Amino acid sequence: MTTWESACSAIEACLRHGVREFVVCAGARNAALVEVLARAEAAGQARLWRHFEERSAGFFALGRTMATGEPCAVVTTSGTAVAELLPAVVESFYQGRPLLALTADRPERFRGTGAPQAITQPGIFGEHAGSGEISEWKQRGPWHWNVELEEEFLPGEWTPPAESEEITIPPPNFSVAALALWLRDDLYRGLVVMIGDLEPEDHEEVFHFCIALGAPVAVEATSGLREALGELCLPDPDRMLRERPPGKLLRIGGVPSGRFWRDLEDLPETEVYNITRTGFPGLARSCEIIVSPVARAIKGLGAVEKAGDAFDYFRRTSRCAGEIEDALEAHPDSEPGLLRVLSAYASTGSSLYLGNSLPIREWNLFAQRSKPVTDVRANRGANGIDGQLSTWLGWTADVEDSWCIVGDLTALYDLAAPAWLGQIERKGRMLVVINNGGGQIFSRLPRLDAMHERAKELMLNPHELRLDGWAGMWGMNYLRIEGEDGFDALEPGEVPMVVELIPDAEETAAFWKAWDARG
């Protein structure tokens, strides 16, 4: 088979298998694939995106799978280009997203020779991606298809495939009978629901389930239900649950980001039941798990009996909520104080992306609760800060008035991401970077106090960078906010805007000192 025939065969197989979006990182080795893709786009059978850097491209493709629920391929050339996809493939593995790595390669005879652009590609993603012919892919997670091609090719005729194959993904086998009994038994031990990230189609079923159950809920913003569940929500769940751990905890959706979830490793007396579409329990200890699309499992439970609040968590919620308000009012220019003000503006957008650990935790605790923010995403599969901006831009490529809130190091990890702006919707796009001068999430680790000063510096990665030059480089507007009054100039427009939010370091330290000292 000639190089042209191999390229045609590969792209035709992708199209038949339901892949309609391709993120292209072009090079000499994958030029034949690029040529066929261009013809597929002209025939209306493919949507193409392009980028010069594979790591960003992989995360943009991941974002597209979030947006559409359909597979997206990222197409690379040979050599180390494929290795740049590893972070996005790992993230998509833990999120259960259908990301296809379609990687061009030199023929097998070059492997192990040290010849230019020849590495051993097969198996490079290890357990994090299936591999082989695309016909074997069930689209439950990432897949790697390594296509061997000669560099020279002569373009010929190409006819688009007439129709796609019917991809049959058998539904997971599960039973909710044991969970239904578990939800009724021993409620005197205290039942709490913990909700991680949900797919949009899960929102309604989970909302009605929680209302009917009537149990206290620790809910993350990425569930899309943080504001909607109102009085059922614990305002400071990590502290409240640590003070009196429940006997039973039902986790719904993705793995939660809160500290108490990690504390469960050392609380075997708390029984944990999981409903998750990915199949990951999120804990190393023993727990029960149902692997299913969340809405399907919840619907299978049918009507549930009211569980109530055996441990009187609700009685303490008003006090905890009041403590949050008092702390924010006393430290308005602290990082949590500025985030509270920011959340009122961001809630007017069409969607919100949070990346990563500190913005997510601070939003969960301190963001406004009066206006629903239902379309919220984050990369929490592997809890890394790689590719956050690229994922956001891929997820919201067709969406106006989209907001993203990240930390400074997270932004620095993905400086090439704004190259996507020429291909996506720009109107009302707001990128907020909380610039606290380094990895300040580590400053709150108790063990940091006992570490050597040089070790502390290495942990925090302190810097004095400003982002106005970076914004200008990519044609974005720029606004620097250093206090509450600075929000008066915050106005989305036709041109994307970078908002650099600068918390007062002393006030932030005072906030957390007071926060940690609560009785």
Side-chain angles (χ1 to χ4, degrees):
M1 187 180 292
T2 68
T3 294
W4 176 249
E5 290 170 337
S6 295
C8 289
S9 176
I11 300 305
E12 287 168 9
C14 288
L15 295 174
R16 285 196 303 269
H17 211 65
V19 182
R20 286 290 183 265
E21 293 199 40
F22 299 81
V23 182
V24 176
C25 296
R29 183 62 51 182
N30 68 352
L33 295 172
V34 174
E35 172 66 18
V36 182
L37 284 170
R39 298 189 188 191
E41 182 183 53
Q45 292 208 348
R47 186 179 189 184
L48 305 188
W49 310 89
R50 58 176 173 79
H51 204 276
F52 56 83
E53 198 265 319
E54 289 84 5
R55 187 174 71 165
S56 178
F59 280 101
F60 184 89
L62 174 63
R64 294 307 301 150
T65 68
M66 290 180 180
T68 67
E70 301 294 331
C72 182
V74 56
V75 185
T76 76
T77 190
S78 56
T80 58
V82 64
E84 298 287 347
L85 300 182
L86 178 60
V89 168
V90 169
E91 180 65 27
S92 65
F93 172 73
Y94 285 105
Q95 287 192 32
R97 306 283 180 195
L99 177 68
L100 172 64
L102 181 61
T103 63
D105 197 4
R106 299 191 75 176
E108 185 178 2
R109 64 181 182 273
F110 288 98
R111 289 179 197 150
T113 67
Q117 288 286 302
I119 68 171
T120 302
Q121 290 195 31
I124 194 169
F125 301 122
E127 66 179 15
H128 298 108
S131 61
E133 295 289 331
I134 195 172
S135 58
E136 303 171 35
W137 185 30
K138 300 303 182 185
Q139 300 183 7
R140 285 205 181 105
W143 192 262
H144 179 205
W145 190 11
N146 178 233
V147 181
E148 297 175 24
L149 300 169
E150 298 288 354
E151 185 169 343
E152 300 300 326
F153 72 97
L154 183 65
E157 297 296 323
W158 180 72
T159 303
E163 57 185 30
S164 299
E165 298 173 357
E166 186 70 30
I167 307 302
T168 302
I169 302 177
N173 292 319
F174 68 92
S175 171
V176 296
L179 174 58
L181 290 173
W182 185 84
L183 288 171
R184 293 196 298 267
D185 291 345
D186 300 333
L187 292 179
Y188 68 90
R189 299 178 57 214
L191 171 65
V192 168
V193 178
M194 189 169 280
I195 310 177
D197 61 278
L198 297 175
E199 298 300 295
E201 59 269 22
D202 299 330
H203 291 175
E204 185 173 356
E205 288 293 337
V206 174
F207 172 80
H208 290 296
F209 167 81
C210 290
I211 295 297
L213 191 65
V217 179
V219 59
E220 308 235 329
T222 50
S223 70
L225 298 176
R226 176 180 175 272
E227 299 79 26
L229 286 172
E231 295 181 357
L232 291 178
C233 296
L234 303 180
D236 185 4
D238 283 344
R239 182 188 181 201
M240 297 177 73
L241 298 179
R242 186 169 59 247
E243 288 176 349
R244 189 171 186 187
K248 298 156 73 78
L249 189 145
L250 173 63
R251 164 205 153 198
I252 301 175
V255 176
S257 63
R259 179 69 237 183
F260 184 74
W261 180 259
R262 298 191 182 194
D263 292 343
L264 286 169
E265 297 287 1
D266 301 317
L267 295 172
E269 62 275 14
T270 299
E271 296 178 6
V272 178
Y273 228 113
N274 299 277
I275 303 176
T276 167
R277 66 177 182 82
T278 65
F280 294 111
L283 293 171
R285 49 158 283 188
S286 175
C287 55
E288 299 295 329
I289 186 167
I290 291 175
V291 182
S292 166
V294 169
R296 186 174 174 212
I298 295 293
K299 190 176 295 185
L301 285 169
V304 294
E305 298 178 7
K306 203 164 194 70
D309 176 22
F311 280 10
D312 287 335
Y313 292 111
F314 291 149
R315 183 175 54 81
R316 290 176 284 155
T317 56
S318 60
R319 176 173 62 86
C320 287
E323 289 176 345
I324 291 174
E325 296 303 320
D326 290 345
L328 295 173
E329 186 175 341
H331 306 89
D333 290 336
S334 67
E335 187 169 319
L338 293 180
L339 185 131
R340 164 57 70 87
V341 179
L342 174 66
S343 69
Y345 288 84
S347 67
T348 66
S350 63
S351 61
L352 173 66
Y353 187 93
L354 297 170
N356 198 339
S357 296
L358 195 55
I360 290 175
R361 293 175 188 179
E362 290 184 341
W363 184 281
N364 285 340
L365 272 172
F366 306 122
Q368 62 83 33
R369 292 181 179 271
S370 59
K371 181 178 174 58
V373 183
T374 58
D375 204 4
V376 187
R377 291 284 194 180
N379 272 350
R380 296 300 293 175
N383 293 276
I385 66 172
D386 252 350
Q388 300 283 338
L389 304 187
S390 297
T391 305
W392 167 54
L393 296 173
W395 171 49
T396 60
D398 299 322
V399 178
E400 295 181 358
D401 302 320
S402 175
W403 286 67
C404 176
I405 303 175
V406 299
D408 47 356
L409 295 186
T410 298
L412 295 175
Y413 254 71
D414 206 6
L415 290 176
W420 295 106
L421 291 173
Q423 303 173 65
I424 67 175
E425 177 60 58
R426 296 162 56 89
K427 184 177 179 182
R429 190 170 291 276
M430 303 291 289
L431 170 57
V432 181
V433 180
I434 302 174
N435 189 347
N436 52 28
Q440 295 302 325
I441 189 171
F442 298 117
S443 68
R444 303 203 64 237
L445 293 177
R447 59 182 173 273
L448 199 73
D449 292 337
M451 295 177 70
H452 190 279
E453 287 303 314
R454 176 58 172 156
K456 293 179 184 178
E457 179 188 1
L458 293 170
M459 289 287 292
L460 297 178
N461 286 299
H463 66 83
E464 297 180 0
L465 297 174
R466 289 179 51 130
L467 299 177
D468 47 348
W470 176 64
M473 172 183 172
W474 296 107
M476 294 185 284
N477 290 334
Y478 173 82
L479 176 65
R480 183 180 176 93
I481 297 177
E482 299 189 57
E484 190 172 354
D485 293 342
F487 286 95
D488 293 341
L490 185 58
E491 186 67 39
E494 297 292 330
V495 178
M497 175 180 283
V498 172
V499 179
E500 192 168 8
L501 194 64
I502 313 294
D504 183 285
E506 292 184 3
E507 197 160 314
T508 299
F511 176 94
W512 288 119
K513 183 177 179 179
W515 183 259
D516 292 337
R518 292 172 302 157

